[in-house]
Amino acid sequence: MRRSGRGFAWVSAGFVGLSMPAFGAGSDTPDGSVVITGAQILAGITIAGDTSDNTDFGDSGTVPLTDCGPATAPDEWYRIQIGGGTGTIAIDVDGCGGGTLYDSKFFLLDSVGSVIACSDDGCGVAGAASRLENVVLAPGSYDLAIDGFATHAGMYEAVLREFVPVPCFLDPPCSGVPEGEPCDEINDDTTNGGCNSTPNVFGTITIDGPPVCGIAWANGGHRDTDWYAFSVAVPWLVEIEVRGEADVTSFALEMSAGGACPVVGIPPDGAPAFSGDCDTNRVFGSYYLLDPGDYVLFVGTGGPDAYPIFDGFPCPDGTLTNNAYEVQLRSGGHGGSCCLENGECYHGIDGIGQQYCLSLGGVYQGVLCYYADCSAACCIESVCVDLWFDDCLAQGGAYQGAGTSCSGTTCPSGACCLADGNCSDGLTAVQCASVGVYQGDETLCSGVTCAPVLPVGACCFFPSGLCIDGLTGAECANAGGDYEGDDLTCGEVACPAQPSGACCIGDVCVAGVTPAACANAGGVFEGDDTICGPASCCGADLNGNGVVDFADILAIISAWGPCPLVCPEDLDDSGDVGFGDILVVIGSWGSCP
């Protein structure tokens, strides 16, 4: 991309579509049917449309728009006509106002179809909108293509206006280490030209060290490139932080063996680091998980996608800008791991930061888990040993928590009352928990009384089949249950409901008794599901001679009629003595059981 003119910040003309006159949609091909004049650009104008229903003219090979990466997306076209009366002007094509709703690309082509400027991403919704800034156009015809990344298409909105330079200085100024190279567009770079200089020469930069303060320039089809060597001793997540008065991009490259050229590109996790002119906010656009080795940090004029800029930022006179930049390598809290409270080491996919580790309640390690030491104090009996969590448990110890060490740990111990009533000194709370009841730190068996811990188990209640856990044998018996055994639970035993019925113990009837219980009481079981009634247990033997016979019928006849207060002859409990009672006698006829 060739650009000329000063690399100053543009003046925003307001939100896209609100403060600029609206313009219709473009054409499906660069046929010149939709024209924007230089006068309209000087006044400021908004273009808007939708590429979704267009064809892929620009990427089909007719006009191959392969700059800023290949794409096969639909595109829309505008003819820009700069007249002689307007003269040479510098323009901005700004799609950052929020009206572009897809991942766009902007291209500007000259009259023979050569790309003179392109932009892919850097602003707008999710940073996927595009902006062509400070593109100098002499009188003539140009084509503006509104394209998309890959196959992306959709609604767009952009402002075309004149580029207006304003003062641009870093605020605050860079306060790091000067690169030591003057802004020189003529002579070879003998300071930090890296693999672009002969001989190869590199500056230096340190991870988490002071920033480097440099000057970036691009003019006449050339640009200054600054190369800073650094090394990584262990796997490390490195983050590039850059801000500049010119459009500056920065990324990492891997050097050949021995720290020499050529270099090999490394894909960043995210876009390359980028700072637009006079963006005084630090940009964390790029980080790399690096293996041990020698690397170089590249800094030069370029766009947010690392597309090089060869014009537009000549060596300044200091009046409106210095083209200064500040670049820094930071671990930024990344590239580390976290020793968690449970003893595990965690570093996510490619390292985590210190603040995140603290939020997990862990202890931050400046390296990945492969190199981290998550050992902590482990109390084995009353002896402290620094061990990892798993090793501590394997040796029967009590892990004291992440971040602890034996140098600052006294293993607490005390008396432990065992299940059989005996006592053992010198056990930790964790060790005692599996065999007894801990009596407290620094306690001794000589000062405590340990009662035996009675075993408990399941208790069955019949005939209902009810089962209750956690009763001693005595508690179960006192409640009328059947104790099933020590340490057994209701889930391990069967308490089936048993059949029951009436039981005659002498001439007394007892309801709801099992056959076995009835026999144990010396009674006679009347049968399953029987109940106690007037005739139960030979109640029809009214004269008590042990036989139900005619004499009992005569007794009923003699008491015939309504019952007084006491009426043993009312066998059917009807309230009077009558024929129903005779039927009960007949039904019970014979010798009493």
Side-chain angles (χ1 to χ4, degrees), residues 340-343 374-379 387-389 392 397-402:
L340 304 178
E341 185 63 29
N342 63 4
C374 290
S375 61
C378 174
C379 289
L387 294 173
W388 281 66
F389 178 75
C392 179
Y399 188 72
Q400 301 300 298

Side-chain angles (χ1 to χ4, degrees), residues 10-20 44-46 94-98 157-161:
W10 49 263
V11 178
S12 175
F15 184 79
V16 174
L18 296 181
S19 59
M20 295 292 183
I45 192 168
T46 297
D94 182 5
C96 301
E157 192 174 54
V159 168
L160 279 72
R161 59 191 162 206

Side-chain angles (χ1 to χ4, degrees), residues 70-74 102-103 148-154:
T72 57
Y102 73 102
D103 193 347
F149 174 76
T151 59
H152 291 233

Side-chain angles (χ1 to χ4, degrees), residues 381-382 410-418 423-444 448 450:
E381 298 291 341
S382 56
T410 300
C411 293
S413 64
C416 179
C417 286
L418 307 179
C423 183
S424 178
D425 277 324
L427 270 66
T428 66
V430 174
Q431 293 167 330
C432 180
S434 62
V435 295
V437 179
Y438 189 62
Q439 302 301 299
D441 295 346
E442 310 302 329
T443 56
L444 297 173
V448 300
C450 296

Side-chain angles (χ1 to χ4, degrees), residues 170-543:
L170 289 181
D171 183 16
C174 181
S175 58
V177 179
E179 67 164 318
E181 176 191 8
C183 193
D184 186 347
E185 300 179 15
I186 300 175
N187 298 304
D188 291 338
D189 185 348
T190 60
T191 303
N192 55 14
C195 295
N196 287 341
S197 62
T198 303
N200 305 146
V201 58
F202 298 90
T204 58
I205 193 168
T206 305
I207 298 174
D208 289 329
V212 172
C213 305
I215 300 294
W217 62 265
N219 194 33
H222 300 280
R223 64 171 178 167
D224 175 43
T225 58
D226 296 334
W227 303 58
Y228 301 98
F230 67 97
S231 298
V232 175
V234 297
W236 200 262
L237 193 68
V238 177
E239 195 164 26
I240 300 174
E241 178 182 308
V242 64
R243 60 192 184 110
E245 296 172 2
D247 283 359
V248 176
T249 187
S250 182
F251 46 86
L253 299 166
E254 185 174 8
M255 302 181 76
S256 300
C261 299
V263 293
V264 179
I266 310 170
D269 191 347
F274 169 77
S275 178
D277 49 6
C278 265
D279 181 359
T280 57
N281 295 317
R282 296 181 183 272
V283 178
F284 304 92
S286 178
Y287 62 92
Y288 301 80
L289 182 61
L290 302 179
D291 292 323
D294 296 316
Y295 298 89
V296 65
L297 177 69
F298 175 93
V299 183
T301 52
D305 50 6
Y307 192 81
I309 296 175
F310 294 105
D311 275 300
F313 299 99
C315 284
D317 59 12
T319 304
L320 294 175
T321 186
N322 292 317
N323 284 6
Y325 69 80
E326 176 185 89
V327 67
Q328 190 168 16
L329 283 178
R330 301 171 65 92
S331 59
H334 296 287
S337 59
C338 190
C339 294
L340 304 178
E341 185 63 29
N342 63 4
E344 295 180 356
C345 183
Y346 174 72
H347 65 206
I349 298 176
D350 50 12
I352 64 172
Q354 183 173 16
Q355 292 303 315
Y356 182 53
C357 177
L358 294 177
S359 73
L360 297 176
V363 178
Y364 184 67
Q365 306 290 302
V367 294
L368 299 178
C369 287
Y370 316 113
Y371 305 94
D373 182 6
C374 290
S375 61
C378 174
C379 289
I380 304 174
E381 298 291 341
S382 56
V383 178
C384 184
V385 182
D386 286 324
L387 294 173
W388 281 66
F389 178 75
D390 292 341
D391 295 334
C392 179
L393 294 188
Q395 298 188 36
Y399 188 72
Q400 301 300 298
T404 61
S405 66
C406 289
S407 61
T409 300
T410 300
C411 293
S413 64
C416 179
C417 286
L418 307 179
D420 60 3
N422 291 321
C423 183
S424 178
D425 277 324
L427 270 66
T428 66
V430 174
Q431 293 167 330
C432 180
S434 62
V435 295
V437 179
Y438 189 62
Q439 302 301 299
D441 295 346
E442 310 302 329
T443 56
L444 297 173
C445 288
S446 59
V448 300
T449 301
C450 296
V453 178
L454 297 177
V456 295
C459 181
C460 289
F461 293 87
F462 300 109
S464 66
L466 175 67
C467 183
I468 298 178
D469 276 323
L471 297 182
T472 65
E475 290 170 336
C476 181
N478 292 337
D482 184 7
Y483 189 64
E484 300 299 309
D486 296 346
D487 301 322
L488 292 178
T489 65
C490 289
E492 299 172 307
V493 301
C495 298
Q498 297 182 359
S500 62
C503 177
C504 290
I505 303 173
D507 60 357
V508 177
C509 183
V510 180
V513 180
T514 65
C518 184
N520 291 337
V524 178
F525 186 65
E526 294 293 289
D528 293 348
D529 302 322
T530 56
I531 61 175
C532 292
S536 300
C537 303
C538 213
D541 181 16
L542 296 176
N543 60 6

Side-chain angles (χ1 to χ4, degrees), residues 542 552-564 566-570 576-578 581:
L542 296 176
D552 300 303
I553 292 178
L554 294 177
I556 289 175
I557 294 173
S558 66
W560 201 271
C563 278
V566 178
C567 192
E569 294 81 6
D570 184 14
D576 59 13
V577 179
D581 302 305

